[in-house]
Amino acid sequence: MALGVLLFLLASERPAHAYTDPGSGMLIWQGVVAAFLGASFYFRKFVYKFFGKKPTDTKQE
Amino acid sequence: MSDTPRAVAASFRDPAGRVVLLPGRVLRAVRTEAVADLDAFLASASAKTLLSSGALVSTKTLDAGAVAELQRGPGLAEVLGGAARVLEHERVWFPAYPYEWSPAMLFEAGTLTLSLAEGLLRDGLGLKDATPYNVLFRGTAPVFVDVLSVERREPRDATWMPYAQFVRTFLLPLVAWQRFKLPLRDVFLGHRDGLEPEDLYRMTGPLARLAPPLLGLVTMPAWLGAKHDQDDQSIYQPKLMNDPERARFVLASQLGSLRKTLKSVAPRADKSTWSDYMRTHSYSDAHFAGKERFVREAVAESAPGKTQTAVLDMGCNTGFFSFLAAERAGTSVVALDYDPEVVDRVFREARERKANVLPLVVDLTRPSPATGWRNAEAPSLLERARGQFDLVLMLAVIHHMLVSERVPLEDILELAADLTCDAAVIEYVDPSDGMFRRLTRGRDALHAGLTRASFEQAAARRFQIVRSLEQGTRTLYFLRKKNA
């Protein structure tokens, strides 16, 4: 439900058309994603340490 | 291309060096500050792999003697004087820019850029920028040409700085093509740096914005950008992680996810449009066979004795005659058509057949202008084409120029004579032709004076008519330029 509300807000949001710094939004979003990935790095290590499972490297397709 | 050397205006953005074009040669002056990064790149495993496959422009360092000699050339002392290193690159023929590419070409250029970024990450290096202007096409093969785009990476930095540029110049234009069939020329002729998330945000509906790939590429960045305090510069400070291994993992994952996204927006062949094209060609089997034989002989006879020849197919449609021309050994073909869907198909087929054909999206009556700062970053299509071709093909195309665009016949022949160094095959389409009539939509009086005789008269002013083949309402002419 909360997710639904958030998604609705996002969908109806209109970005400001004043002078904005192009790219700032993408840089922030990249940072958010990087933070998640950084956390998952420790999670993978944790899994490896306790379950002896070797973390697979990022897939290079 | 002019005969005088010129520093390419496009190269002024990177302070690390300048590109200088001489007739038939491409030089790059590298500044002292950039030499260490350049050396690290050229010694890396990625550079070696790409060089051997031809995906990186071949590069050699000129010795002091060669540089001193070049500096005696007019205008070169200033550009080369301050350089710590002067490189000479292979000249990629025929330079074409993203506004002339079909979507599949942008996809291939993006794939090459990501592969390079991934390889460099393994080598402890990184890409400074990720733009399609770093890529040219040798036939259908993308070639990365900017050797100064690589730098040694801070091992703890987990931010891929060209991320936003990659999204703007590769992913969002491909999204716009996939969803709205927005041609790349509409994107890149108007915007050097592609599309902003805000542009796509305005074009898409509320539901589409919430689904991948738009959620991550468009909606979140547009939303966060609007919320972000524009005076807050802190986001641009490098954020270093303590563990280099973790930073590398984050970067590799991001590149992997960009690659997945790129695949998800890859242009797909639209079968229905294509079969329409195959149906609408208006020849009987016998006429088509005659046309094929006529063109084949013209290809064989043009530029006699030359081992390396070039053909310009103006209005290539299915690419049938481009492929036919490319069968002559040592022949490179540039094939132009205004429809990106058609050019995409020709590009795919050329790749499959390994044919030396470079298909480009160009409207012959509105060819790409010179672009960029002072109109000097990229020369116009006609400037690039002049003096490059031994044979120009204008097959089943002049009626489109005459009728839809109202270009005078004399001007069309003048253009053909201007672009070819030796020969041309031009197909005369009579006003009584079914396709011609469909285009005129009743305005027959406009072309009342157009006959085979008037066409031949106009052609004879610039060409010697070697032979012709009349088939119904269409006549093929093999022409040789006067004083060629």
Side-chain angles (χ1 to χ4, degrees):
Chain A
M1 181 60 199
L3 184 69
V5 172
L6 172 74
L7 290 181
F8 177 76
L9 283 175
L10 283 177
S12 51
E13 182 77 21
R14 289 213 147 266
H17 299 322
Y19 180 81
T20 52
D21 172 14
S24 60
M26 275 195 270
L27 189 62
I28 300 168
W29 176 240
Q30 194 191 0
V32 172
V33 173
F36 274 104
L37 290 169
S40 83
F41 176 75
Y42 288 128
F43 178 73
R44 285 153 53 99
K45 275 199 148 175
F46 171 83
V47 169
Y48 175 57
K49 198 167 169 191
F50 281 87
F51 300 98
K53 197 174 156 222
K54 194 169 167 41
T56 48
D57 198 3
T58 321
K59 221 157 95 189
Q60 305 281 351
E61 288 171 79
Chain B
M1 201 105 0
S2 72
D3 284 348
T4 47
R6 61 185 186 99
V8 180
S11 69
F12 65 80
R13 290 206 171 79
D14 185 359
R18 295 292 289 264
V19 173
V20 182
L21 295 182
L22 301 179
R25 296 178 77 182
V26 183
L27 304 177
R28 190 188 294 270
V30 184
R31 291 170 63 98
T32 317
E33 310 85 274
V35 167
D37 281 335
L38 173 71
D39 285 342
F41 175 46
L42 292 179
S44 70
S46 330
K48 285 178 182 147
T49 315
L50 292 179
L51 272 172
S52 65
S53 69
L56 177 65
V57 70
S58 70
T59 300
K60 66 174 186 200
T61 303
L62 295 183
D63 61 37
V67 175
E69 196 169 314
L70 278 168
Q71 280 184 334
R72 283 197 282 277
L76 283 175
E78 194 192 334
V79 195
L80 301 181
R85 189 77 66 82
V86 178
L87 308 175
E88 175 152 16
H89 294 300
E90 148 208 11
R91 184 171 153 272
V92 176
W93 188 88
F94 169 98
Y97 304 104
Y99 42 81
E100 294 159 340
W101 295 356
S102 77
M105 297 170 80
L106 185 65
F107 173 78
E108 292 300 333
T111 305
L112 173 63
T113 304
L114 278 185
S115 306
L116 177 62
E118 285 168 344
L120 290 172
L121 181 62
R122 290 191 285 272
D123 296 337
L125 301 167
L127 267 185
K128 282 194 276 188
D129 55 2
T131 149
Y133 290 95
N134 284 342
V135 177
L136 291 174
F137 280 83
R138 194 195 293 112
T140 55
V143 183
F144 193 86
V145 294
D146 189 5
V147 293
L148 296 185
S149 278
V150 177
E151 63 187 353
R152 289 159 296 165
R153 197 174 75 78
E154 156 59 57
R156 293 174 300 150
D157 188 357
T159 310
W160 194 51
M161 281 316 279
Y163 172 87
Q165 196 181 31
F166 187 83
V167 173
R168 280 196 299 267
T169 56
F170 289 102
L171 298 180
L172 294 186
L174 286 171
V175 170
W177 168 255
Q178 191 183 55
R179 287 176 187 246
F180 313 112
K181 292 284 178 246
L182 185 69
L184 297 184
R185 63 169 171 256
D186 293 19
V187 174
F188 287 106
L189 272 183
H191 318 264
R192 179 180 65 86
D193 218 22
L195 294 171
E196 295 290 344
E198 288 78 4
D199 297 329
L200 261 290
Y201 190 92
R202 284 191 287 274
M203 293 158 81
T204 42
L207 280 177
R209 287 174 194 157
L210 296 177
L214 291 184
L215 183 63
L217 294 181
V218 170
T219 312
M220 293 309 293
W223 186 63
L224 291 166
K227 296 269 180 241
H228 174 242
D229 172 8
Q230 301 301 320
D231 294 323
D232 174 15
Q233 296 289 308
S234 63
I235 57 167
Y236 296 105
Q237 300 303 318
K239 286 173 244 354
L240 301 182
M241 292 181 164
N242 298 326
D243 180 356
E245 191 47 35
R246 182 167 161 239
R248 205 198 67 87
F249 170 78
V250 169
L251 277 178
S253 308
Q254 290 209 325
L255 291 173
S257 120
L258 282 174
R259 187 176 273 267
K260 261 205 204 123
T261 311
L262 181 65
K263 273 193 181 155
S264 78
V265 298
R268 281 171 237 299
D270 183 344
K271 285 201 174 76
S272 62
T273 325
W274 189 246
S275 52
D276 280 351
Y277 264 87
M278 296 306 277
R279 260 203 311 278
T280 52
H281 93 56
S282 29
Y283 299 87
S284 68
D285 287 351
H287 282 180
F288 198 77
K291 182 173 176 177
E292 180 183 347
R293 199 175 324 112
F294 190 92
V295 175
R296 193 179 292 283
E297 284 167 8
V299 168
E301 286 172 40
S302 59
K306 245 179 123 176
T307 50
Q308 298 288 320
T309 58
V311 175
L312 180 66
D313 186 356
M314 302 179 76
C316 68
N317 202 345
T318 64
F320 183 89
F321 293 99
S322 311
F323 293 125
L324 186 151
E327 284 172 18
R328 173 170 161 174
T331 297
S332 313
V333 179
V334 174
L336 311 178
D337 202 282
Y338 74 96
D339 185 338
E341 203 107 45
V342 164
V343 175
D344 236 12
R345 255 333 252 263
V346 175
F347 177 76
R348 286 199 182 88
E349 193 177 340
R351 264 177 92 83
E352 271 167 35
R353 295 164 68 142
K354 297 190 171 40
N356 191 357
V357 174
L358 170 66
L360 299 174
V361 184
V362 170
D363 178 346
L364 299 173
T365 58
R366 300 175 67 82
S368 335
T371 56
W373 173 242
R374 301 178 85 173
N375 285 144
E377 290 186 45
S380 74
L381 179 90
L382 295 184
E383 195 186 331
R384 277 172 280 148
R386 216 162 271 136
Q388 299 292 319
F389 296 97
D390 302 291
L391 174 66
V392 166
L393 302 178
M394 285 188 175
L395 303 172
V397 73
I398 65 163
H399 50 309
H400 292 283
M401 301 182 190
L402 284 167
V403 180
S404 315
E405 298 289 333
R406 306 277 299 277
V407 181
L409 177 64
E410 292 278 351
D411 280 45
I412 297 172
L413 290 161
E414 185 64 37
L415 177 68
D418 192 22
L419 291 180
T420 185
C421 298
D422 180 43
V425 176
I426 304 182
E427 186 172 18
Y428 167 75
V429 181
D430 195 77
S432 62
D433 181 88
M435 184 54 110
F436 199 117
R437 293 183 64 90
R438 203 191 300 173
L439 294 172
T440 53
R441 293 182 311 221
R443 298 165 298 169
D444 295 349
L446 282 174
H447 304 282
L450 182 65
T451 60
R452 267 190 67 176
S454 68
F455 176 87
E456 285 176 17
Q457 219 170 22
R461 275 194 269 280
R462 297 152 185 100
F463 296 98
Q464 175 213 339
I465 300 175
V466 180
R467 62 175 170 270
S468 62
L469 172 68
E470 185 181 358
Q471 302 195 116
T473 54
R474 303 188 170 198
T475 307
L476 290 157
Y477 288 92
F478 180 37
L479 308 168
R480 190 148 257 148
K481 194 172 164 177
K482 284 184 173 168
N483 314 316

